[in-house]
Amino acid sequence: MKFNNLIVKDLSEHLRLITINRPRQLNALNRELIRELHDALEEAEKDPGIRAVILMGSGDKAFIAGADIKEFMHFTPEEGEQLSREGQQLLFDYVEQMGTPVIAAINGYALGGGLELALAAHIRIASEKARMGLPEVSLGVIPGYGGTQRLAQHIGKGRAMEMILTGKMIDARRAYDYGLVSEVTPHEKLLDVAVETAEAIMKNSPSAIALAIRAINSAYGRDGFKVESRLFGQAFATEDFKEGTTAFVEKRKPRFTGK
Ligand code: DAK
């Protein structure tokens, strides 16, 4: 398959690397990229030869710096809610439910939708340069791709509240302390460590791994994701949302009014 925004490369017989390749926009997720990631992951999932996938961002700066603000600022509330559901199914839930394990190699900023994608992956490994956060409220919106649910699942409700309400980024060390990533590596060693982890997984039974993923996922309910989509749509209808996204594009601080 040919992709405009991805580089797909097999690192060995059973291991595939998918690199998100929009470095000038810090790999921000637009609709085309979400669709392409789904297609590339589906291709890997359906290929019995592929036993693990590594996801990484291109360039030196970012894994994914969030959803593409310049694209989503023009969506209506209905589109917001609909796209939140669609995106969740197409990419974020899809990744989480894949039987082929997905490792997020977080090589820089993982913000908003970018962190949400890493949260949906089965394993997260971060370079010491990585910075992670859910800054949506600084734009007048809330995490809409499962972040309100999965962040709390990974690091607990209190820390998730703090990260989401402040919108602040944390560095890789703190992410490790929180249990958000399982390892922190020197920047240049990140891919090697991700490959070692994939190799450890690939020694095991692929069918048992797929069953283990299903069993682990079955512990977590789905209702909160629907609530998140609905509230995400509501946030799109506010003046704060217009102000927050416009301020980002105009490179200034937002003036929120609560309306
Ligand atoms: N979207 C679009 N462009 C982005 C971007 C983004 N998320 N992040 C960076 N860029 C662009 C910048 O605009 C800039 O473009 P030019 O000005 O050069 O044209 C270029 O990438 C380089 O960025 P900077 O010049 O800002 O680089 P710095 O090193 O100074 O700063 C930064 C790096 C990561 C701290 C900064 O770029 C930044 O704060 N970026 C935005 C982070 C952020 O707020 N991300 C979005 C979170 S909200 C949805 C569901 C879910 C969501 C949305 C919709 N639907 C269902 C519809 C989720 C939303 C989010 O992810």
Side-chain angles (χ1 to χ4, degrees):
M1 241 184 261
K2 277 258 170 225
F3 299 104
N4 294 327
N5 306 283
L6 299 176
I7 302 166
V8 178
K9 183 178 169 199
D10 287 350
L11 299 178
S12 63
E13 196 187 347
H14 299 304
L15 177 60
R16 184 160 294 173
L17 172 66
I18 300 177
T19 306
I20 298 124
N21 191 31
R22 294 186 79 208
R24 264 178 293 154
Q25 292 82 15
L26 304 187
N27 303 320
L29 281 175
N30 61 13
R31 290 172 81 174
E32 183 184 40
L33 179 49
I34 288 177
R35 162 65 61 185
E36 288 191 353
L37 272 166
H38 169 83
D39 291 347
L41 289 162
E42 189 180 53
E43 193 173 44
E45 174 80 340
K46 287 190 171 156
D47 183 339
I50 296 300
R51 295 191 182 174
V53 173
I54 298 173
L55 275 181
M56 206 161 100
S58 68
D60 226 21
K61 244 174 124 174
F63 175 69
I64 299 173
D68 190 322
I69 298 168
K70 291 164 196 167
E71 180 184 70
F72 79 74
M73 67 184 290
H74 302 296
F75 294 157
T76 63
E78 293 71 33
E79 276 177 318
E81 182 177 345
Q82 190 206 343
L83 288 166
S84 171
R85 284 226 190 84
E86 236 175 65
Q88 281 193 17
Q89 280 168 14
L90 208 57
L91 182 57
F92 299 80
D93 291 354
Y94 188 81
V95 169
E96 185 169 57
Q97 287 159 20
M98 278 173 65
T100 309
V102 177
I103 299 171
I106 305 175
N107 58 307
Y109 291 112
L111 302 175
L115 181 57
E116 289 175 298
L117 182 59
L119 289 168
H122 304 107
I123 295 179
R124 284 153 298 286
I125 299 173
S127 126
E128 59 199 1
K129 277 172 69 174
R131 298 280 178 281
M132 286 156 260
L134 293 178
E136 282 84 346
V137 294
S138 71
L139 298 163
V141 71
I142 65 170
Y145 286 136
T148 64
Q149 307 301 300
R150 290 193 185 97
L151 186 63
Q153 289 169 8
H154 287 297
I155 67 173
K157 182 176 164 185
R159 285 169 169 166
M161 276 284 182
E162 198 211 338
M163 279 184 71
I164 292 172
L165 302 190
T166 64
K168 279 190 186 162
M169 292 182 215
I170 58 171
D171 63 16
R173 282 282 149 211
R174 180 165 294 201
Y176 178 79
D177 291 343
Y178 280 8
L180 182 48
V181 301
S182 47
E183 213 164 331
V184 179
T185 72
H187 187 64
E188 59 289 352
K189 289 268 186 310
L190 176 65
L191 186 57
D192 293 345
V193 173
V195 168
E196 275 168 30
T197 306
E199 279 167 354
I201 293 171
M202 294 188 306
K203 288 190 183 124
N204 302 318
S205 149
S207 51
I209 281 173
L211 295 175
I213 291 173
R214 271 174 62 190
I216 294 167
N217 283 341
S218 72
Y220 301 94
R222 302 293 314 162
D223 286 354
F225 289 86
K226 291 190 196 111
V227 175
E228 184 190 86
S229 288
R230 188 160 42 75
L231 299 178
F232 181 85
Q234 274 182 32
F236 263 63
T238 63
E239 284 176 23
D240 276 356
F241 167 69
K242 280 189 204 79
E243 168 61 13
T245 49
T246 306
F248 176 81
V249 172
E250 293 174 357
K251 299 185 190 282
R252 61 169 172 83
K253 284 203 164 36
R255 290 180 292 269
F256 291 126
T257 59
K259 290 189 194 133

